[in-house]
Amino acid sequence: MENQKNEMISLIGQKRYEHILRVRDVAVKLAEQYGISVEKAEIAAYYHDCAKAQNFDEIYELCKKYGLKLSYDMQKAPKIIHAFLGAIMAREKFGVEDEDILNAIRYHTTGRENMSILEKIIFVSDYIEPNRKFDGIDEIRDLAFRDLDRALYKSLNNTIEHLLLSDEYIVGDTIKARNYIMEKYKWENSLKHL
Amino acid sequence: MENQKNEMISLIGQKRYEHILRVRDVAVKLAEQYGISVEKAEIAAYYHDCAKAQNFDEIYELCKKYGLKLSYDMQKAPKIIHAFLGAIMAREKFGVEDEDILNAIRYHTTGRENMSILEKIIFVSDYIEPNRKFDGIDEIRDLAFRDLDRALYKSLNNTIEHLLLSDEYIVGDTIKARNYIMEKYKWENSLKHL
């Protein structure tokens, strides 16, 4: 991957590249914590923002180049495009073939129902990497290493609350992801008390 | 309508009946303010909670009786059932035929995209009737008589925030209603500045 450093930086810029490395460091630790492949977590984190070009004109150009047709949600919430585009570019430009890694890239911004452990780890790592600052982040950082589902739930809730309060479009998949993990968590916790 | 008072009270109880009358008073004022039929607003408000029986067993019995099959959302968020059931009962039990009135009853809890003025008025009246108390309600009460779309938007946002913070299931229609009215409002406001 590191031999693609210059190519990545020319796509997304130095600052975003440094963000990617911070997400990778968190993701690796979480992969160790939850017993999944560290290598997959590294790859998914490294490419998660590979389509986050520095302005929307470039992103739209890349959509054309890689044949990504914009869904209704993508038109209404263009911030999510880079994740879906990123999964295509990770495969076609950077040779990533593992479906779980591609899904972790694809759903790292919106989330979705029934996420894999790797998908959850990339979503949460992106949310808590050391440079992120907002109310309640310390609680989620702490939770991430103790209870990944709970950390994901809190991350999704915070994301939705932020969109609500800043008059931004909310994508249906994000609500579905949040409802799903909430109910899974409640269900599993109710089983513990049987 | 008033001759159905006893029947309504036996269905929903005295307290809920008084809530209905308070919603009706607000809805009538809003109908005058926005130049729609006061009579329709009265009828919609009077029957909006006609299916809100005093416990879920009774509501499920009424669903069977009136042939309402529970959707996935209704199973996950049983609080919304009474609205859909209420539209059926308003028609079959109380003889309401006007589609706009029936829709105002049907969508008074979840909201939906592209609501009519009557639908908005019933949704907002239910939200701001004098006995409702929560942070920010005075702002919405004030807004309701100046800018119905803005009042609806704030009511939907508050509803979603409440569901988020209390770990309750969020129905897709509510998010769609909120996104829709937000974008309509933004669009119309951008036209004003042309």
Side-chain angles (χ1 to χ4, degrees), chain B residues 170-185:
Chain B
I170 299 171
V171 170
D173 269 346
T174 305
I175 298 297
K176 286 185 184 169
R178 178 265 180 194
N179 285 339
Y180 183 92
I181 199 69
M182 180 185 77
E183 302 226 309
K184 177 174 182 284
Y185 188 88

mmCIF file with all atom_site columns, all heavy atoms in Angstrom, chain B residues 170-185:
data_model
loop_
_atom_site.group_PDB
_atom_site.id
_atom_site.type_symbol
_atom_site.label_atom_id
_atom_site.label_alt_id
_atom_site.label_comp_id
_atom_site.label_asym_id
_atom_site.label_entity_id
_atom_site.label_seq_id
_atom_site.pdbx_PDB_ins_code
_atom_site.Cartn_x
_atom_site.Cartn_y
_atom_site.Cartn_z
_atom_site.occupancy
_atom_site.B_iso_or_equiv
_atom_site.pdbx_formal_charge
_atom_site.auth_seq_id
_atom_site.auth_comp_id
_atom_site.auth_asym_id
_atom_site.auth_atom_id
_atom_site.pdbx_PDB_model_num
ATOM 1   N N   . ILE B 1 170 ? -37.010 4.405  14.764 1.00 0.00 ? 170 ILE B N   1
ATOM 2   C CA  . ILE B 1 170 ? -37.395 5.560  13.949 1.00 0.00 ? 170 ILE B CA  1
ATOM 3   C C   . ILE B 1 170 ? -37.925 5.059  12.608 1.00 0.00 ? 170 ILE B C   1
ATOM 4   O O   . ILE B 1 170 ? -37.264 4.291  11.912 1.00 0.00 ? 170 ILE B O   1
ATOM 5   C CB  . ILE B 1 170 ? -36.194 6.496  13.721 1.00 0.00 ? 170 ILE B CB  1
ATOM 6   C CG1 . ILE B 1 170 ? -35.674 7.022  15.071 1.00 0.00 ? 170 ILE B CG1 1
ATOM 7   C CG2 . ILE B 1 170 ? -36.595 7.669  12.820 1.00 0.00 ? 170 ILE B CG2 1
ATOM 8   C CD1 . ILE B 1 170 ? -34.369 7.788  14.971 1.00 0.00 ? 170 ILE B CD1 1
ATOM 9   N N   . VAL B 1 171 ? -39.138 5.505  12.274 1.00 0.00 ? 171 VAL B N   1
ATOM 10  C CA  . VAL B 1 171 ? -39.810 5.040  11.064 1.00 0.00 ? 171 VAL B CA  1
ATOM 11  C C   . VAL B 1 171 ? -39.304 5.822  9.842  1.00 0.00 ? 171 VAL B C   1
ATOM 12  O O   . VAL B 1 171 ? -39.144 7.048  9.915  1.00 0.00 ? 171 VAL B O   1
ATOM 13  C CB  . VAL B 1 171 ? -41.334 5.226  11.246 1.00 0.00 ? 171 VAL B CB  1
ATOM 14  C CG1 . VAL B 1 171 ? -42.083 5.003  9.952  1.00 0.00 ? 171 VAL B CG1 1
ATOM 15  C CG2 . VAL B 1 171 ? -41.842 4.294  12.342 1.00 0.00 ? 171 VAL B CG2 1
ATOM 16  N N   . GLY B 1 172 ? -39.057 5.104  8.751  1.00 0.00 ? 172 GLY B N   1
ATOM 17  C CA  . GLY B 1 172 ? -38.552 5.734  7.533  1.00 0.00 ? 172 GLY B CA  1
ATOM 18  C C   . GLY B 1 172 ? -39.401 6.900  7.045  1.00 0.00 ? 172 GLY B C   1
ATOM 19  O O   . GLY B 1 172 ? -38.865 7.918  6.589  1.00 0.00 ? 172 GLY B O   1
ATOM 20  N N   . ASP B 1 173 ? -40.738 6.785  7.135  1.00 0.00 ? 173 ASP B N   1
ATOM 21  C CA  . ASP B 1 173 ? -41.613 7.862  6.681  1.00 0.00 ? 173 ASP B CA  1
ATOM 22  C C   . ASP B 1 173 ? -41.348 9.182  7.408  1.00 0.00 ? 173 ASP B C   1
ATOM 23  O O   . ASP B 1 173 ? -41.525 10.255 6.832  1.00 0.00 ? 173 ASP B O   1
ATOM 24  C CB  . ASP B 1 173 ? -43.098 7.493  6.901  1.00 0.00 ? 173 ASP B CB  1
ATOM 25  C CG  . ASP B 1 173 ? -43.678 6.803  5.663  1.00 0.00 ? 173 ASP B CG  1
ATOM 26  O OD1 . ASP B 1 173 ? -43.035 6.851  4.596  1.00 0.00 ? 173 ASP B OD1 1
ATOM 27  O OD2 . ASP B 1 173 ? -44.768 6.222  5.774  1.00 0.00 ? 173 ASP B OD2 1
ATOM 28  N N   . THR B 1 174 ? -40.956 9.074  8.679  1.00 0.00 ? 174 THR B N   1
ATOM 29  C CA  . THR B 1 174 ? -40.707 10.293 9.459  1.00 0.00 ? 174 THR B CA  1
ATOM 30  C C   . THR B 1 174 ? -39.456 11.006 8.946  1.00 0.00 ? 174 THR B C   1
ATOM 31  O O   . THR B 1 174 ? -39.413 12.239 8.843  1.00 0.00 ? 174 THR B O   1
ATOM 32  C CB  . THR B 1 174 ? -40.585 9.937  10.960 1.00 0.00 ? 174 THR B CB  1
ATOM 33  O OG1 . THR B 1 174 ? -41.771 9.236  11.353 1.00 0.00 ? 174 THR B OG1 1
ATOM 34  C CG2 . THR B 1 174 ? -40.432 11.183 11.818 1.00 0.00 ? 174 THR B CG2 1
ATOM 35  N N   . ILE B 1 175 ? -38.437 10.210 8.596  1.00 0.00 ? 175 ILE B N   1
ATOM 36  C CA  . ILE B 1 175 ? -37.220 10.791 8.029  1.00 0.00 ? 175 ILE B CA  1
ATOM 37  C C   . ILE B 1 175 ? -37.523 11.393 6.653  1.00 0.00 ? 175 ILE B C   1
ATOM 38  O O   . ILE B 1 175 ? -37.081 12.507 6.325  1.00 0.00 ? 175 ILE B O   1
ATOM 39  C CB  . ILE B 1 175 ? -36.121 9.711  7.904  1.00 0.00 ? 175 ILE B CB  1
ATOM 40  C CG1 . ILE B 1 175 ? -35.748 9.159  9.289  1.00 0.00 ? 175 ILE B CG1 1
ATOM 41  C CG2 . ILE B 1 175 ? -34.894 10.270 7.185  1.00 0.00 ? 175 ILE B CG2 1
ATOM 42  C CD1 . ILE B 1 175 ? -35.153 10.179 10.220 1.00 0.00 ? 175 ILE B CD1 1
ATOM 43  N N   . LYS B 1 176 ? -38.314 10.666 5.857  1.00 0.00 ? 176 LYS B N   1
ATOM 44  C CA  . LYS B 1 176 ? -38.665 11.195 4.534  1.00 0.00 ? 176 LYS B CA  1
ATOM 45  C C   . LYS B 1 176 ? -39.463 12.482 4.655  1.00 0.00 ? 176 LYS B C   1
ATOM 46  O O   . LYS B 1 176 ? -39.254 13.432 3.894  1.00 0.00 ? 176 LYS B O   1
ATOM 47  C CB  . LYS B 1 176 ? -39.487 10.153 3.760  1.00 0.00 ? 176 LYS B CB  1
ATOM 48  C CG  . LYS B 1 176 ? -38.658 8.998  3.247  1.00 0.00 ? 176 LYS B CG  1
ATOM 49  C CD  . LYS B 1 176 ? -39.525 8.075  2.398  1.00 0.00 ? 176 LYS B CD  1
ATOM 50  C CE  . LYS B 1 176 ? -38.735 6.849  1.953  1.00 0.00 ? 176 LYS B CE  1
ATOM 51  N NZ  . LYS B 1 176 ? -39.614 5.829  1.361  1.00 0.00 ? 176 LYS B NZ  1
ATOM 52  N N   . ALA B 1 177 ? -40.408 12.510 5.608  1.00 0.00 ? 177 ALA B N   1
ATOM 53  C CA  . ALA B 1 177 ? -41.207 13.720 5.836  1.00 0.00 ? 177 ALA B CA  1
ATOM 54  C C   . ALA B 1 177 ? -40.299 14.887 6.186  1.00 0.00 ? 177 ALA B C   1
ATOM 55  O O   . ALA B 1 177 ? -40.443 15.995 5.670  1.00 0.00 ? 177 ALA B O   1
ATOM 56  C CB  . ALA B 1 177 ? -42.216 13.484 6.965  1.00 0.00 ? 177 ALA B CB  1
ATOM 57  N N   . ARG B 1 178 ? -39.346 14.609 7.048  1.00 0.00 ? 178 ARG B N   1
ATOM 58  C CA  . ARG B 1 178 ? -38.428 15.667 7.519  1.00 0.00 ? 178 ARG B CA  1
ATOM 59  C C   . ARG B 1 178 ? -37.503 16.140 6.395  1.00 0.00 ? 178 ARG B C   1
ATOM 60  O O   . ARG B 1 178 ? -37.323 17.335 6.183  1.00 0.00 ? 178 ARG B O   1
ATOM 61  C CB  . ARG B 1 178 ? -37.639 15.115 8.707  1.00 0.00 ? 178 ARG B CB  1
ATOM 62  C CG  . ARG B 1 178 ? -36.609 16.056 9.291  1.00 0.00 ? 178 ARG B CG  1
ATOM 63  C CD  . ARG B 1 178 ? -35.253 15.785 8.684  1.00 0.00 ? 178 ARG B CD  1
ATOM 64  N NE  . ARG B 1 178 ? -34.242 16.670 9.234  1.00 0.00 ? 178 ARG B NE  1
ATOM 65  C CZ  . ARG B 1 178 ? -33.043 16.823 8.702  1.00 0.00 ? 178 ARG B CZ  1
ATOM 66  N NH1 . ARG B 1 178 ? -32.692 16.160 7.609  1.00 0.00 ? 178 ARG B NH1 1
ATOM 67  N NH2 . ARG B 1 178 ? -32.174 17.654 9.233  1.00 0.00 ? 178 ARG B NH2 1
ATOM 68  N N   . ASN B 1 179 ? -36.917 15.214 5.649  1.00 0.00 ? 179 ASN B N   1
ATOM 69  C CA  . ASN B 1 179 ? -36.054 15.618 4.533  1.00 0.00 ? 179 ASN B CA  1
ATOM 70  C C   . ASN B 1 179 ? -36.850 16.435 3.517  1.00 0.00 ? 179 ASN B C   1
ATOM 71  O O   . ASN B 1 179 ? -36.377 17.453 3.007  1.00 0.00 ? 179 ASN B O   1
ATOM 72  C CB  . ASN B 1 179 ? -35.471 14.393 3.823  1.00 0.00 ? 179 ASN B CB  1
ATOM 73  C CG  . ASN B 1 179 ? -34.356 13.712 4.612  1.00 0.00 ? 179 ASN B CG  1
ATOM 74  O OD1 . ASN B 1 179 ? -33.739 14.322 5.495  1.00 0.00 ? 179 ASN B OD1 1
ATOM 75  N ND2 . ASN B 1 179 ? -34.095 12.459 4.304  1.00 0.00 ? 179 ASN B ND2 1
ATOM 76  N N   . TYR B 1 180 ? -38.068 15.964 3.228  1.00 0.00 ? 180 TYR B N   1
ATOM 77  C CA  . TYR B 1 180 ? -38.889 16.607 2.208  1.00 0.00 ? 180 TYR B CA  1
ATOM 78  C C   . TYR B 1 180 ? -39.229 18.056 2.585  1.00 0.00 ? 180 TYR B C   1
ATOM 79  O O   . TYR B 1 180 ? -39.058 18.968 1.780  1.00 0.00 ? 180 TYR B O   1
ATOM 80  C CB  . TYR B 1 180 ? -40.180 15.804 2.003  1.00 0.00 ? 180 TYR B CB  1
ATOM 81  C CG  . TYR B 1 180 ? -41.047 16.355 0.906  1.00 0.00 ? 180 TYR B CG  1
ATOM 82  C CD1 . TYR B 1 180 ? -40.922 15.892 -0.402 1.00 0.00 ? 180 TYR B CD1 1
ATOM 83  C CD2 . TYR B 1 180 ? -41.981 17.353 1.169  1.00 0.00 ? 180 TYR B CD2 1
ATOM 84  C CE1 . TYR B 1 180 ? -41.706 16.411 -1.413 1.00 0.00 ? 180 TYR B CE1 1
ATOM 85  C CE2 . TYR B 1 180 ? -42.759 17.888 0.161  1.00 0.00 ? 180 TYR B CE2 1
ATOM 86  C CZ  . TYR B 1 180 ? -42.622 17.412 -1.125 1.00 0.00 ? 180 TYR B CZ  1
ATOM 87  O OH  . TYR B 1 180 ? -43.394 17.935 -2.128 1.00 0.00 ? 180 TYR B OH  1
ATOM 88  N N   . ILE B 1 181 ? -39.696 18.246 3.804  1.00 0.00 ? 181 ILE B N   1
ATOM 89  C CA  . ILE B 1 181 ? -40.138 19.601 4.185  1.00 0.00 ? 181 ILE B CA  1
ATOM 90  C C   . ILE B 1 181 ? -38.922 20.526 4.344  1.00 0.00 ? 181 ILE B C   1
ATOM 91  O O   . ILE B 1 181 ? -38.987 21.719 4.045  1.00 0.00 ? 181 ILE B O   1
ATOM 92  C CB  . ILE B 1 181 ? -41.024 19.572 5.460  1.00 0.00 ? 181 ILE B CB  1
ATOM 93  C CG1 . ILE B 1 181 ? -41.844 20.851 5.579  1.00 0.00 ? 181 ILE B CG1 1
ATOM 94  C CG2 . ILE B 1 181 ? -40.233 19.327 6.716  1.00 0.00 ? 181 ILE B CG2 1
ATOM 95  C CD1 . ILE B 1 181 ? -42.925 20.994 4.545  1.00 0.00 ? 181 ILE B CD1 1
ATOM 96  N N   . MET B 1 182 ? -37.805 19.953 4.748  1.00 0.00 ? 182 MET B N   1
ATOM 97  C CA  . MET B 1 182 ? -36.580 20.757 4.847  1.00 0.00 ? 182 MET B CA  1
ATOM 98  C C   . MET B 1 182 ? -36.166 21.274 3.475  1.00 0.00 ? 182 MET B C   1
ATOM 99  O O   . MET B 1 182 ? -35.867 22.456 3.302  1.00 0.00 ? 182 MET B O   1
ATOM 100 C CB  . MET B 1 182 ? -35.456 19.904 5.444  1.00 0.00 ? 182 MET B CB  1
ATOM 101 C CG  . MET B 1 182 ? -34.139 20.632 5.595  1.00 0.00 ? 182 MET B CG  1
ATOM 102 S SD  . MET B 1 182 ? -32.838 19.515 6.176  1.00 0.00 ? 182 MET B SD  1
ATOM 103 C CE  . MET B 1 182 ? -32.463 18.618 4.648  1.00 0.00 ? 182 MET B CE  1
ATOM 104 N N   . GLU B 1 183 ? -36.198 20.377 2.498  1.00 0.00 ? 183 GLU B N   1
ATOM 105 C CA  . GLU B 1 183 ? -35.749 20.780 1.154  1.00 0.00 ? 183 GLU B CA  1
ATOM 106 C C   . GLU B 1 183 ? -36.752 21.719 0.497  1.00 0.00 ? 183 GLU B C   1
ATOM 107 O O   . GLU B 1 183 ? -36.358 22.646 -0.207 1.00 0.00 ? 183 GLU B O   1
ATOM 108 C CB  . GLU B 1 183 ? -35.549 19.535 0.311  1.00 0.00 ? 183 GLU B CB  1
ATOM 109 C CG  . GLU B 1 183 ? -34.534 18.608 0.963  1.00 0.00 ? 183 GLU B CG  1
ATOM 110 C CD  . GLU B 1 183 ? -33.514 18.085 0.005  1.00 0.00 ? 183 GLU B CD  1
ATOM 111 O OE1 . GLU B 1 183 ? -33.909 17.572 -1.046 1.00 0.00 ? 183 GLU B OE1 1
ATOM 112 O OE2 . GLU B 1 183 ? -32.308 18.234 0.308  1.00 0.00 ? 183 GLU B OE2 1
ATOM 113 N N   . LYS B 1 184 ? -38.045 21.481 0.713  1.00 0.00 ? 184 LYS B N   1
ATOM 114 C CA  . LYS B 1 184 ? -39.086 22.371 0.179  1.00 0.00 ? 184 LYS B CA  1
ATOM 115 C C   . LYS B 1 184 ? -38.882 23.778 0.751  1.00 0.00 ? 184 LYS B C   1
ATOM 116 O O   . LYS B 1 184 ? -38.919 24.769 0.034  1.00 0.00 ? 184 LYS B O   1
ATOM 117 C CB  . LYS B 1 184 ? -40.465 21.836 0.573  1.00 0.00 ? 184 LYS B CB  1
ATOM 118 C CG  . LYS B 1 184 ? -41.646 22.706 0.149  1.00 0.00 ? 184 LYS B CG  1
ATOM 119 C CD  . LYS B 1 184 ? -42.964 21.999 0.462  1.00 0.00 ? 184 LYS B CD  1
ATOM 120 C CE  . LYS B 1 184 ? -44.169 22.811 -0.002 1.00 0.00 ? 184 LYS B CE  1
ATOM 121 N NZ  . LYS B 1 184 ? -44.489 23.956 0.881  1.00 0.00 ? 184 LYS B NZ  1
ATOM 122 N N   . TYR B 1 185 ? -38.650 23.810 2.053  1.00 0.00 ? 185 TYR B N   1
ATOM 123 C CA  . TYR B 1 185 ? -38.486 25.101 2.726  1.00 0.00 ? 185 TYR B CA  1
ATOM 124 C C   . TYR B 1 185 ? -37.241 25.839 2.210  1.00 0.00 ? 185 TYR B C   1
ATOM 125 O O   . TYR B 1 185 ? -37.277 27.020 1.898  1.00 0.00 ? 185 TYR B O   1
ATOM 126 C CB  . TYR B 1 185 ? -38.387 24.849 4.228  1.00 0.00 ? 185 TYR B CB  1
ATOM 127 C CG  . TYR B 1 185 ? -38.399 26.112 5.039  1.00 0.00 ? 185 TYR B CG  1
ATOM 128 C CD1 . TYR B 1 185 ? -39.593 26.680 5.449  1.00 0.00 ? 185 TYR B CD1 1
ATOM 129 C CD2 . TYR B 1 185 ? -37.212 26.753 5.392  1.00 0.00 ? 185 TYR B CD2 1
ATOM 130 C CE1 . TYR B 1 185 ? -39.608 27.846 6.186  1.00 0.00 ? 185 TYR B CE1 1
ATOM 131 C CE2 . TYR B 1 185 ? -37.219 27.918 6.135  1.00 0.00 ? 185 TYR B CE2 1
ATOM 132 C CZ  . TYR B 1 185 ? -38.421 28.460 6.533  1.00 0.00 ? 185 TYR B CZ  1
ATOM 133 O OH  . TYR B 1 185 ? -38.425 29.626 7.255  1.00 0.00 ? 185 TYR B OH  1
#
